[in-house]
Amino acid sequence: METSPGSRLEQVLADFAERYGTLSRAREQMRALSVTARSRDGVVEVTVGANGHAAWIRFVDNRFRGMAAPQLGDSVLEALTTARAEVAARAAAVMTAANLLPALPAQPVPGGEPTRSRPQGPLWGRRPSLDTPLPPELREAVMALRDSVCEP
């Protein structure tokens, strides 16, 4: 039994709308994503956004005043690194759930629990240039829509 062009178009549009909804939800989750981590010594808290940039650094109490500069610097870097690793893991989970990244195998972390591989570089916030190709899933949906509409 052959499917009519109208029903094929309806299916393509429904698939496209579902994919668009998934991508929109992922974008909103990424916009809202932030992680706060504390150094092991409890002196510093750092909040990082989805792009990996520190949005906030807080010294928890006055103990930082008695610390040597290198020790305080280490505490800041530790909290920042922990927050960045966690935000990257959460961003990867959002992207994987939206089928924008393949599921990544667990990788051991020295002295810690296994975590997922993390993408490198900025995770969000840049608009693609006009020369940037569409993601394969979106390209496939657009091409299917074109074929359904332009078919003789």
Side-chain angles (χ1 to χ4, degrees):
M1 183 170 120
E2 205 169 297
T3 308
S4 73
S7 66
R8 281 188 305 196
L9 178 59
E10 286 177 16
Q11 182 59 48
V12 168
L13 289 173
D15 292 345
F16 186 79
E18 180 181 340
R19 184 70 183 144
Y20 182 80
T22 299
L23 293 173
S24 294
R25 285 187 297 279
R27 183 178 63 216
E28 290 307 313
Q29 289 174 331
M30 292 297 289
R31 281 185 182 156
L33 183 60
S34 73
V35 171
T36 300
R38 187 179 281 205
S39 61
R40 278 181 276 171
D41 60 13
V43 173
V44 181
E45 283 184 348
V46 176
T47 300
V48 172
N51 61 3
H53 295 155
W56 183 68
I57 297 176
R58 179 172 91 85
F59 296 99
V60 178
D61 55 30
N62 287 329
R63 286 187 295 156
F64 75 93
R65 295 183 191 277
M67 297 173 74
Q71 184 184 9
L72 180 57
D74 288 346
S75 292
V76 170
L77 285 176
E78 178 187 350
L80 180 61
T81 301
T82 301
R84 281 182 173 164
E86 181 61 25
V87 85
R90 290 183 188 182
V94 167
M95 303 287 272
T96 301
N99 290 322
L100 296 172
L101 288 177
L104 301 170
Q107 293 184 343
V109 173
E113 296 181 18
T115 61
R116 300 272 178 203
S117 298
R118 294 177 186 88
Q120 300 298 312
L123 298 173
W124 204 258
R126 292 185 298 163
R127 292 180 185 259
S129 73
L130 295 176
D131 298 331
T132 302
L134 292 173
E137 299 85 0
L138 184 56
R139 181 171 169 34
E140 184 179 314
V142 169
M143 297 307 283
L145 178 61
R146 183 205 65 190
D147 292 343
S148 294
V149 171
C150 298
E151 193 172 38

